[in-house]
Amino acid sequence: MKDTMIGVDLAKNVLQVHGASMTGEVKFRKKLSRPQFHKFMADHPPCVVVLESCGGAHYWARQMVKFGHRVKLIAPQYVKPFVKRQKNDAADAEAIVIAAQRPEMRFVEPKTQEQQARAVLFRARERLVRHRTELVNALRAVMYEYGHVFPLGIANLKRIEATLEGSNGELPELALEACRDLILQIAEKTARIEAKTKKAKVLSKNADLTRQLQTMPGVGPLTALAIEAFAPPMSSFKCGRDFAAWLGLVPRQHSSGGKARLGRISKAGQADIRRLLIIGAMMRLNWLGRKSIRPGSWLARMLERKPRMLVAIALANKMARAIWAMMTHNEDYRDPTQAAAAV
C-alpha cells in the first residue's frame, strides 16, 4: 500500500486508470470497462486509490475498501490545475494522482450507504418543494393575466381557490379548467411533501445524533437530517471555525500586501446545510424569537447596530461552530449565557 497510488477517472462505462509510484514514476495506464475495472482492483495488491468526488465515487470507494485498498476522494476543482495541456481521460487520471500526492491536499470523506439514503430522502423532498413552487407561480401567472394579483407564497393558495370559486364567469372555462388542474397538482405535491417531512422527522427523532443536534435553538429535524447526511465526520476539522468555513459562512478574502480585504460570504461549501442554518437563525431573529434574546447579550448588541440578514449570517456561523463542539464532545447544546450566569 505504501509504494503504489492509482488514480481513477470515473465514467459510466469506461474508466481510465493511472498507476504510479509514490515518487510519481508511471507504472501503468489502462482503459477498463466497469466489469474489467472491478476484477482488476479485486486482484490488485492493496494500494492507495484516488477518485474524484463525483457521481458514483462513494459507491466505488466502498468497493475499494472491501478489496483492502486505502481510498481517498478529491474534489474535482482541486484536480483541474494539475491537468496538462490536453484534456482527456488519461490526462485527468494522471492529474488525480499528481494532485493527491501534494502534502497539503484536502480530501473528501467517503459516505456510507445510510448517509446517502438520507441524502436521497432530503433531495427528494427538496425537489418536490421546487416543483410545487413552480406550479404555484404558474397559477399566479394565469390569474394575473385576468386581473387578479396575489402575493408570493403557498399560504395564499386558499385566496386563489376562493377567487376561482367566486369568479362568476369572469374567467373562460378553459382557463378555469387549467387553474383547477394546477390546484390538484399542488395538492398532490403537498401531500407527498408532508409524507417526506414526516419520514424525515421520524428519522431525526430516532437517531441519537440528530436528536442531540435539535437541542440547539434554530436547528429542526430537516437541518439535523441534512447535517447527518451531508457533513463529514467532525474529526476532519481542526476547530469549529474550519467547519463554518467549509459551509461557506465566512467572508470571501481578497487580501494582499498584508492588507486584509473581506467581502461577502464565500458560499463555497455545502449549500443545503448553510441555507437551513441561515433560515434557523432568521427564525430566532423574528418578532417571536427575539423575546428569548437577553438584553445586553452579543446577539442583542448586534441587532442594535447591524442589518438583520447580516446578524443572521453571523449567528449561523456561531451555530455551525457550536454544532462542531456538540458533535466533537458528544454533548447536548448548552446556552452560553446561562452557563456564564451559573458561573
Side-chain angles (χ1 to χ4, degrees):
M1 186 177 291
K2 295 182 179 180
D3 60 353
T4 304
M5 178 178 287
I6 297 178
V8 184
D9 183 55
L10 296 175
K12 293 180 180 178
N13 299 315
V14 179
L15 292 79
Q16 183 70 38
V17 179
H18 181 91
S21 65
M22 290 301 180
T23 58
E25 181 182 354
V26 178
K27 290 188 174 182
F28 57 83
R29 294 187 178 95
K30 294 180 181 291
K31 183 180 290 187
L32 305 172
S33 65
R34 291 175 69 90
Q36 289 173 342
F37 175 70
H38 192 278
K39 184 178 185 306
F40 175 79
M41 297 307 301
D43 297 338
H44 196 281
C47 63
V48 179
V49 180
V50 189
L51 312 168
E52 276 189 330
S53 182
C54 57
H58 295 281
Y59 162 77
W60 283 116
R62 293 192 293 268
Q63 293 298 312
M64 296 302 105
V65 171
K66 290 180 182 178
F67 298 151
H69 302 297
R70 181 185 173 192
V71 181
K72 293 184 177 182
L73 298 181
I74 186 170
Q77 60 265 32
Y78 292 159
V79 175
K80 188 176 180 180
F82 296 94
V83 177
K84 295 179 181 177
R85 182 173 298 179
Q86 301 298 328
K87 201 282 185 192
N88 52 58
D89 293 345
D92 289 345
E94 182 180 3
I96 291 171
V97 172
I98 296 173
Q101 290 179 343
R102 303 299 303 167
E104 72 279 6
M105 186 54 62
R106 300 175 182 176
F107 298 97
V108 178
E109 290 291 332
K111 294 185 183 299
T112 63
Q113 287 184 330
E114 291 73 18
Q115 275 185 301
Q116 286 191 294
R118 284 165 168 76
V120 169
L121 172 63
F122 184 88
R123 290 274 189 258
R125 183 188 177 277
E126 292 293 303
R127 185 167 55 252
L128 288 170
V129 171
R130 288 196 302 270
H131 291 172
R132 185 180 67 176
T133 302
E134 179 184 351
L135 293 170
V136 172
N137 289 337
L139 179 60
R140 289 176 57 249
V142 173
M143 298 300 291
Y144 182 63
E145 292 296 332
Y146 290 94
H148 299 282
V149 180
F150 295 94
L152 292 171
I154 188 69
N156 299 290
L157 185 61
K158 291 184 178 180
R159 289 177 56 188
I160 299 176
E161 292 177 357
T163 303
L164 288 173
E165 292 299 326
S167 61
N168 297 324
E170 294 181 9
L171 275 70
E173 189 60 32
L174 284 176
L176 279 172
E177 185 179 346
C179 290
R180 291 181 181 128
D181 182 61
L182 286 171
I183 289 174
L184 288 175
Q185 292 183 60
I186 292 169
E188 186 266 340
K189 297 291 183 186
T190 301
R192 294 178 64 185
I193 290 169
E194 290 175 354
K196 299 288 185 186
T197 304
K198 184 178 180 181
K199 186 175 292 185
K201 289 181 178 180
V202 171
L203 288 173
S204 298
K205 185 178 180 180
N206 294 337
D208 293 336
L209 174 62
T210 51
R211 181 208 57 79
Q212 190 178 70
L213 289 172
Q214 291 178 74
T215 60
M216 174 184 288
V219 176
L222 290 177
T223 307
L225 183 68
I227 293 172
E228 184 187 27
F230 299 115
M234 292 297 149
S235 57
S236 58
F237 302 106
K238 292 182 180 179
C239 60
R241 290 180 178 179
D242 289 349
F243 178 54
W246 179 80
L247 291 175
L249 285 169
V250 296
R252 185 184 298 275
Q253 292 194 48
H254 190 72
S255 305
S256 180
K259 186 174 182 179
R261 296 182 179 88
L262 303 180
R264 300 180 178 181
I265 61 170
S266 64
K267 298 184 181 180
Q270 217 291 324
D272 300 290
I273 301 176
R274 180 179 64 247
R275 175 175 55 84
L276 290 170
L277 285 179
I278 293 175
I279 291 173
M282 289 292 289
M283 293 297 292
R284 293 183 61 184
L285 299 179
N286 62 15
W287 68 273
L288 184 61
R290 289 192 183 196
K291 295 180 180 180
S292 62
I293 299 176
R294 292 175 176 268
S297 63
W298 168 82
L299 200 52
R301 296 195 305 271
M302 285 283 288
L303 283 170
E304 290 174 358
R305 55 191 177 89
K306 297 292 185 181
R308 191 174 68 160
M309 190 63 194
L310 189 148
V311 178
I313 293 172
L315 179 58
N317 183 295
K318 258 198 160 184
M319 291 169 64
R321 286 183 280 165
I323 287 170
W324 177 87
M326 290 165 59
M327 296 177 68
T328 302
H329 301 292
N330 194 23
E331 296 178 351
D332 290 351
Y333 177 75
R334 292 182 295 174
D335 192 344
T337 57
Q338 295 180 359
V343 174

